[in-house]
Amino acid sequence: MRLSGYVDDEARERFFSLYDQAMRAWPEHTRHDVATSFGPTAVHRAHDGTGPPLVLLHGGNATSASWAPIMPMLISYGTVLAVDTLGDAGASVQERPVADARQRAQWLDEVLAGLGCDRVHLIGLSYGGWMALNQAVHRPQRVASVTALEPARALAPVRAAFVLRALAVMLTGSRAAAGRYLAWCRAGRVPPQPMRDLLVSALLDHRQRAVPAPQALTDDQLRAIAVPTMVVLGERSPVHDVRRAAERARRLLPGGRAEIVPDAGHGVPADSPEAVGRLIRSLLGGIR
């Protein structure tokens, strides 16, 4: 079975040149490569604080660099560990298929174990938001809380337009079309450089294979999550029915907390970093 990887050597070089540039927007940090049974996983560590670390799970094709706008708020809380999702564009290297949602949770549990983390606060965006909820369902032992930002497909179906526009970009290979797609996802906002070019490169220069798509979580699975959980949605997100996702979260998750950020699109932590930072701190404030 073919695994995730870059289209060719030129594509790889282009991607990592942009990746290194985009990571310069982060505060001072170090990188660790954690061995797992699915392949080595890159984790970026910023700040050293007390208490359970914040573990960041980025959206599809976004890499850990995408967290830069909200990093000042996050490091003011404590240690931050940003994981490059194995199988996605980034510095992690897939060596084995990730067959399903359970294996995705196994991989992340192996990463946390390799980092020596007994208890963490998971914060995920889009695919990463689904992963955070999925972890609380299948491997909850290390999870202290979950903040799911715009979790893809977990609470409401993904709109056909979101999928079709992404497919059109990949089929045409147009970098201009990729840029327009990214702005559409973010309610008209154009990501700043070099992040914009990195996102375009991730879309066109990398191919995901042998990894699970995000899955809809059942009512029973959501009810069974036992840790403090908050869902944060962008009011103008084109990805899913925001009101429907919020309703399910409020009805089924522990504490029933779902927040809709005004005027934000799918990239809610980049669109409204101060608002999202305040929400995350409000959730975590009573947990330590």
Side-chain angles (χ1 to χ4, degrees), residues 92-175:
S92 300
V93 181
Q94 186 180 14
E95 296 177 343
R96 172 187 161 197
V98 182
D100 54 25
R102 289 183 181 277
Q103 285 197 352
R104 183 53 97 186
Q106 178 188 340
W107 159 76
L108 183 54
D109 192 64
E110 290 180 17
V111 172
L112 299 178
L115 292 167
C117 296
D118 295 324
R119 194 164 175 260
V120 301
H121 299 293
L122 293 180
I123 302 171
L125 169 65
S126 190
Y127 186 89
W130 167 75
M131 280 203 299
L133 292 167
N134 182 66
Q135 201 70 16
V137 170
H138 293 296
R139 292 284 183 116
Q141 296 85 353
R142 302 179 197 274
V143 181
S145 74
V146 169
T147 302
L149 309 170
E150 281 282 302
R153 198 173 273 117
L155 297 167
V158 172
R159 287 188 167 123
F162 178 70
V163 177
L164 292 174
R165 283 177 180 246
L167 286 174
V169 168
M170 289 184 283
L171 287 172
T172 63
S174 167
R175 294 183 183 270

Side-chain angles (χ1 to χ4, degrees), residues 48-270:
D48 284 310
T50 59
L54 312 184
V55 173
L56 310 183
L57 306 170
H58 61 77
N61 297 307
T63 79
S64 294
S66 62
W67 294 107
I70 200 172
M71 285 298 295
M73 278 70 74
L74 298 180
I75 62 172
S76 69
Y77 181 86
T79 303
V80 175
L81 301 169
V83 181
D84 273 11
T85 300
L86 184 136
D88 204 343
S92 300
V93 181
Q94 186 180 14
E95 296 177 343
R96 172 187 161 197
V98 182
D100 54 25
R102 289 183 181 277
Q103 285 197 352
R104 183 53 97 186
Q106 178 188 340
W107 159 76
L108 183 54
D109 192 64
E110 290 180 17
V111 172
L112 299 178
L115 292 167
C117 296
D118 295 324
R119 194 164 175 260
V120 301
H121 299 293
L122 293 180
I123 302 171
L125 169 65
S126 190
Y127 186 89
W130 167 75
M131 280 203 299
L133 292 167
N134 182 66
Q135 201 70 16
V137 170
H138 293 296
R139 292 284 183 116
Q141 296 85 353
R142 302 179 197 274
V143 181
S145 74
V146 169
T147 302
L149 309 170
E150 281 282 302
R153 198 173 273 117
L155 297 167
V158 172
R159 287 188 167 123
F162 178 70
V163 177
L164 292 174
R165 283 177 180 246
L167 286 174
V169 168
M170 289 184 283
L171 287 172
T172 63
S174 167
R175 294 183 183 270
R180 291 192 295 271
Y181 167 72
L182 293 170
W184 176 77
C185 288
R186 291 187 53 184
R189 295 175 178 87
V190 178
Q193 297 288 23
M195 194 64 214
R196 179 185 181 277
D197 283 348
L198 176 62
L199 290 166
V200 170
S201 177
L203 272 169
L204 298 180
D205 294 333
H206 184 270
R207 294 291 179 266
Q208 285 189 21
R209 305 182 185 94
V211 292
Q215 304 295 313
L217 297 179
T218 68
D219 288 4
D220 287 344
Q221 285 176 321
L222 293 169
R223 287 192 190 98
I225 293 175
V227 298
T229 301
M230 176 174 63
V231 171
V232 180
L233 301 157
E235 180 186 38
R236 297 176 61 196
S237 172
V239 174
H240 44 205
D241 184 327
V242 171
R243 304 292 171 184
R244 178 175 176 181
E247 187 278 328
R248 280 196 81 212
R250 289 167 180 155
R251 178 165 50 88
L252 299 170
L253 287 170
R257 186 167 183 187
E259 306 286 347
I260 298 176
V261 179
D263 198 41
H266 187 54
V268 62

